[in-house]
Amino acid sequence: MKIFMIYGGKSAEHDISILSAHSIMTEIYYEYYEVIPVYITRDGKWVKGPRITRAEEVLSQEDLRLGFDEEGVQSGKGTPFELSELQEKDAIAFPVLHGPNGEDGTIQGLFEVLNVPYVGAGVLASACGMDKSVSKILFQNEGLPQVPYKKVLKNEWEVDSDTVLAACQEELAYPLFVKPANLGSSVGISKAENRDQLIEAIRMAFEYDRIIVIEQGVDAREIEVAVLGNEDIHTSVPGELVKQQGFYDYESKYLKNEVVLQIPAKLSDDIKTQLREYAARAFSAVQGSGLSRVDFFLTEDDEIYLNEINTFPGFTQFSMYPRLWESTGLAYGDLIEELIQLGLQRFRDTQNYDSKDREN
């Protein structure tokens, strides 16, 4: 079977995508598959690389850019990719894309229109999981505990910033965390301890999205649970991001690799059970399929707060998701194989539903 490994993209998480794709390509079971790297440049060009039939042929992280530099100038490597190639028989798309235009349902919708099987969450789950303002409503309806928060639209801020600030300071307590609604990997997120910092944080977040979420901070541990499955949902042992400081930004997490992962997390059996139950419920709330990583806060008093769900979490060598499954008993290569099979199964199920619909 042919795997179209799609990575890069126009979002701020472009570089993480390349790291994740490289890690996955080195662990594919090449006795069953061949891989076609498909790189999406920062300005949206789709370019394919050479066919890969064994792990030794996987390109380096830099070469996976297929000759494009940061300004989008091409040096000759790679050839244009036609979307119709995705419709080849015995092929599956493997989108290793983080953030907008990759993890938000847009590319999943493209695959659906082309009638192409693909790995990962579907359109609805991807869109809801990407948008923190929407997923919080779904989690609230599911009865899952969350920290107090406020959604702010860009036009609200531009029309009357004083009213927005007053509402935040009246309804929430410092410290506050300000996040773009549709980004992950700590991109555009900052911490505010006072009004001046809050203003600066809001302005920065609006550089990335027209909707932001302002959350009340809690003094808590950060615990994460991996989820795998379609209708049959499985959860991993919980892991912890062990913090040496209060808040890790994008650079600390992904460029400097300053985050320490404790897997499995040191927790009581009751807390582990509750976290895994909440993770499965969060996955169901967004109608997840394939994979997700669900992130929590855990206070000293053992209060659990659901932070967010990531429908395509990082797959780099430092990433929590594959390491959680390794600790649970599922090796990296087996995890990738399971994701491929889950994508194929969902596609077959969809074809059966469509067939019955046409019959009626």
Side-chain angles (χ1 to χ4, degrees), residues 211-276:
I211 304 174
I212 66 172
V213 173
I214 302 173
E215 296 177 349
Q216 182 170 303
V218 290
D219 185 10
R221 300 161 66 184
E222 294 187 26
I223 311 295
E224 301 181 347
V225 177
V227 185
L228 181 68
N230 290 338
E231 285 79 14
D232 189 15
I233 301 172
H234 302 274
T235 59
S236 74
V237 298
E240 180 175 4
L241 293 177
V242 182
K243 300 184 292 184
Q244 305 301 319
Q245 60 191 54
F247 170 63
Y248 284 101
D249 59 12
Y250 172 90
E251 183 177 357
S252 300
K253 279 186 176 180
Y254 295 99
L255 303 183
K256 295 182 179 178
N257 191 31
E258 293 179 352
V259 177
V260 177
L261 306 184
Q262 174 68 52
I263 305 173
K266 297 178 180 178
L267 304 165
S268 70
D269 289 342
D270 287 345
I271 293 297
K272 290 177 184 177
T273 300
Q274 186 68 81
L275 287 164
R276 295 177 77 162

Side-chain angles (χ1 to χ4, degrees), residues 10 13 27 31 74 81 90 97-99 131 138 150-151 153 162 165 191 203 216 224 255 261-262 296 327 340 352 360:
K10 298 169 67 175
E13 299 171 81
E27 296 290 341
E31 59 266 40
Q74 187 180 13
F81 179 74
D90 295 327
L97 296 162
H98 306 300
D131 192 318
L138 296 175
K150 184 173 179 58
K151 180 179 79 171
L153 304 180
D162 287 338
L165 291 169
K191 180 180 180 181
R203 286 173 176 167
Q216 182 170 303
E224 301 181 347
L255 303 183
L261 306 184
Q262 174 68 52
F296 298 92
S327 181
I340 293 169
N352 289 334
N360 293 329

Side-chain angles (χ1 to χ4, degrees), residues 131-147:
D131 192 318
K132 297 178 180 66
S133 64
V134 172
S135 60
K136 284 180 177 296
I137 294 172
L138 296 175
F139 298 151
Q140 183 175 326
N141 290 341
E142 182 65 25
L144 295 165
Q146 302 177 86
V147 297

Side-chain angles (χ1 to χ4, degrees), residues 47 57 86 90 97 162 168 193 243 275 301 333 337 360:
V47 186
E57 296 172 354
L86 291 171
D90 295 327
L97 296 162
D162 287 338
C168 289
E193 299 276 8
K243 300 184 292 184
L275 287 164
D301 298 329
E337 175 64 17
N360 293 329

Side-chain angles (χ1 to χ4, degrees), residues 102-106 108 118 120-131 286 311:
E103 197 179 348
D104 60 355
T106 51
Q108 289 78 14
Y118 60 95
V123 175
L124 179 65
S126 299
C128 293
M130 189 79 253
D131 192 318
V286 300
T311 55

